[in-house]
């Protein structure tokens, strides 16, 4: 199968490309820089130059592929409105390009804030609609294309996709601990984060491409919820720093932009996904990665 991947040189995307190549797929990757293009080319990936704002390039990549895996995101926390708008526009462009083809369209989403007071399940619809919502409401927009002959599958990733080399949320929290000289956790530290190792996440993506029916929501979740206090304890051990509670009213001052997320309860289950895909997570847990030096001092 010829698969077009956006975000092909990113944290999840680069490993997804490796997984697809190992499975025998032909891959075209969207690359916005010379270094990304060179890295993809060295793997034997066809390179399509462009970025999330280059809708013409994105559409061309989608039109010329047997399947699309959309993993790119600006992640501009200083201007979330721009990130949301770009994400929605890209999903609209891909969906329009695939109408009537029944070709698979897998897109990255998340489990954050899907439900309140309980873990999110695959059966829970996203509450986010419209361009002003997180990710521009892209999951719901993409799923609307199922009735127009597009094989949309939502890939809902845990808030942390961890492994050595991660530069996402946990890496940011560890960096703040270094800066502050203390590994903090919000309040009593009982709010929890779901997690998945990168190797398990990309294996799920490849299985979803092969097995998931249009309209399916998949949860890339290995651990349903790890208390933030346990995360802070592990970061403290790894960095040799004291661990302490951060008063809820000081969370934003202490953690900055990521305090909003670190103070949330972001839990989810993946039983339906595991049953559907025969997917069993086998990678290290988040705390094992922290204890084994994946986020070094």
């Amino acid at each position: 199968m010829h698969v077009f991947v956006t975000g092909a040189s990113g944290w999840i995307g680069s490993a997804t490309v490796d997984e697809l190549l190992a499975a025998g797929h032909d891959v075209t990757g969207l690359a916005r820089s010379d270094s990304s293009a060179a890295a993809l080319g060295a793997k034997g990936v066809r390179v399509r130059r462009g970025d999330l704002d280059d809708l013409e390039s994105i559409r061309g990549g989608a039109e010329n592929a047997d399947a699309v895996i959309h993993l790119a995101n600006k992640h501009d926390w200083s201007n979330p409105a721009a990130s949301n708008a770009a994400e929605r526009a890209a999903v609209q462009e891909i969906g329009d390009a695939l109408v009537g083809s029944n070709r698979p369209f897998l897109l990255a989403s998340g489990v954050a804030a899907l439900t309140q007071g309980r873990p999110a399940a695959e059966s829970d619809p996203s509450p986010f609609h419209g361009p002003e919502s997180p990710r521009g409401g892209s999951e719901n927009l993409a799923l609307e294309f199922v009735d127009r002959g597009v094989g949309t599958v939502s890939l809902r990733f845990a808030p942390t996709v961890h492994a050595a080399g991660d530069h996402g949320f946990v890496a940011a929290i560890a960096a703040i601990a270094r800066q502050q000289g203390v590994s903090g956790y919000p309040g009593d530290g009982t709010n929890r984060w779901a997690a998945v190792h990168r190797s398990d996440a990309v294996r799920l993506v490849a299985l979803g491409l092969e097995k998931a029916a249009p309209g399916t929501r998949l949860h890339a979740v290995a651990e349903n919820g790890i208390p933030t206090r346990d995360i802070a304890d592990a970061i403290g051990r790894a960095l040799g720093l004291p661990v302490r509670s951060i008063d809820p009213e000081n969370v934003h001052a202490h953690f900055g932009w990521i305090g909003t997320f670190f103070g949330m309860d972001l839990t989810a289950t993946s039983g339906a996904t595991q049953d559907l895909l025969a997917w069993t997570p086998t990678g290290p847990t988040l705390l094992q990665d922290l204890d084994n030096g994946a986020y070094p001092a």
Side-chain angles (χ1 to χ4, degrees), residues 100-115:
S101 69
N102 295 311
R103 284 176 280 170
F105 172 27
L106 282 65
L107 80 155
S109 186
V111 301
L114 292 177
T115 56

Side-chain angles (χ1 to χ4, degrees), residues 53-67:
D53 294 317
D54 189 346
L55 298 182
E56 182 178 352
S57 186
I58 288 173
R59 186 182 186 98
E63 288 176 337
N64 292 307
D66 300 317

Side-chain angles (χ1 to χ4, degrees), residues 42-242:
K43 295 180 178 182
V45 173
R46 303 184 201 180
V47 175
R48 188 173 188 90
R49 294 303 296 263
D51 58 24
L52 202 56
D53 294 317
D54 189 346
L55 298 182
E56 182 178 352
S57 186
I58 288 173
R59 186 182 186 98
E63 288 176 337
N64 292 307
D66 300 317
V68 177
I69 301 178
H70 174 49
L71 301 173
N73 192 291
K74 286 189 172 184
H75 297 300
D76 184 355
W77 304 111
S78 66
N79 190 357
S83 289
N84 295 340
E87 171 67 5
R88 187 175 182 86
V91 167
Q92 182 73 55
E93 199 72 25
I94 295 168
D96 286 341
L98 299 181
V99 165
S101 69
N102 295 311
R103 284 176 280 170
F105 172 27
L106 282 65
L107 80 155
S109 186
V111 301
L114 292 177
T115 56
Q116 299 294 324
R118 64 173 176 81
E122 293 91 338
S123 58
D124 289 312
S126 170
F128 304 123
H129 298 267
E132 304 302 321
S133 58
R135 293 180 179 266
S138 60
E139 178 181 296
N140 282 315
L141 175 62
L143 288 171
E144 289 173 5
F145 279 98
V146 171
D147 291 336
R148 300 174 63 191
V150 178
T152 302
V153 174
S154 176
L155 305 168
R156 291 175 169 176
F157 292 100
T160 175
V161 180
H162 57 88
D166 175 22
H167 51 268
F169 281 1
V170 172
I173 293 167
I176 290 165
R178 295 186 201 97
Q179 294 164 6
Q180 298 282 5
V182 61
S183 180
Y185 57 88
D188 62 7
T190 58
N191 64 299
R192 297 163 297 161
W193 270 22
V196 65
H197 193 268
R198 184 169 71 152
S199 63
D200 291 320
V202 301
R203 189 160 46 86
L204 177 145
V205 175
L207 288 170
L209 177 64
E210 297 171 4
K211 297 184 177 183
T216 301
R217 305 181 191 98
L218 300 175
H219 279 196
V221 172
E223 297 180 89
N224 294 357
I226 308 157
T228 52
R229 167 128 196 199
D230 291 352
I231 296 173
D233 283 342
I235 291 173
R237 289 193 300 271
L239 303 183
L241 295 173

Side-chain angles (χ1 to χ4, degrees), residues 25-41:
H25 296 295
D26 184 19
V27 179
T28 293
L30 188 69
R32 65 179 179 178
S33 68
D34 291 343
S35 59
S36 293
L40 291 172

